[in-house]
Amino acid sequence: QQKSQPFWPLQLPTDNGACTRHNTRTALIIGAGLAGAHTAHILAQRGWRVCVVDTAGDIASGASGNAQGVLYTKLAAKPDAVSGFAITSYLYALRHYRNLIDNAVISPQAAQFCGVLYLGYDETTRALQRSISNSFKMAPDIVQYLEQDAASAVAGLPVQYPALWMP
């Protein structure tokens, strides 16, 4: 993909909080990794002029260029504002990536929604996992506590511990 050339000089934000040039909303995004590329995409969809600059000179060529990644969130046994934001962000990201596949923006092979198993490697971890699972007992599509046999079945290989599974 060809990048647009940066425009200079930038003007200070106006009272509406957007950088302006020629009476259009314009954003300068520094970094073309996962966060920068997604931010640029969303702003462009909303009609913004977007300029992305990155020292690497290519999209997702740093850590975002890893061959694989995992999308998950940290769940809390006791809901609070931070954990509420985390789960909301996670569910939004899942919808967003599924939408990208549904609209052929990325190929189905690029994202496999197979879930994440957190192994309960000691009793303290297992107790926390059971507590988290109880907090989400009305949402088994978000998280479930699995005994060792069920965790092994999900993993497709023997595991030594029960696990928290985010399908």
Side-chain angles (χ1 to χ4, degrees):
Q1 267 186 347
Q2 187 176 8
K3 291 184 183 182
S4 63
Q5 294 297 315
F7 56 87
W8 304 108
L10 287 176
Q11 297 176 351
L12 293 175
T14 61
D15 60 345
N16 69 1
C19 295
T20 59
R21 182 170 188 210
H22 305 296
N23 298 323
T24 61
R25 296 188 310 179
T26 306
L28 170 64
I29 301 192
I30 301 171
L34 190 62
H38 275 84
T39 301
H41 176 75
I42 294 299
L43 289 173
Q45 281 185 325
R46 294 179 180 180
W48 286 61
R49 280 188 60 200
V50 179
C51 175
V52 179
V53 294
D54 193 293
T55 57
D58 202 7
I59 296 172
S61 58
S64 297
N66 290 334
Q68 71 180 37
V70 178
L71 177 64
Y72 66 96
T73 190
K74 184 173 181 178
L75 299 172
K78 296 182 181 180
D80 61 12
V82 172
S83 65
F85 177 77
I87 192 69
T88 300
S89 300
Y90 170 72
L91 294 173
Y92 177 84
L94 283 176
R95 281 192 313 273
H96 176 71
Y97 289 119
R98 286 185 175 124
N99 187 45
L100 291 177
I101 290 171
D102 292 345
N103 291 301
V105 175
I106 59 175
S107 74
Q109 292 76 27
Q112 297 176 4
F113 300 100
C114 54
V116 175
L117 275 176
Y118 296 93
L119 296 181
Y121 55 87
D122 62 26
E123 186 50 45
T124 302
T125 302
R126 289 189 289 274
L128 176 61
Q129 290 178 338
R130 285 189 292 271
S131 180
I132 290 169
S133 180
N134 285 336
S135 294
F136 286 88
K137 64 184 167 197
M138 300 301 286
D141 55 324
I142 295 175
V143 67
Q144 301 171 28
Y145 184 79
L146 303 178
E147 294 298 338
Q148 181 180 353
D149 290 342
S152 294
V154 167
L157 54 93
V159 295
Q160 297 178 358
Y161 307 104
L164 200 61
W165 182 42
M166 295 179 67

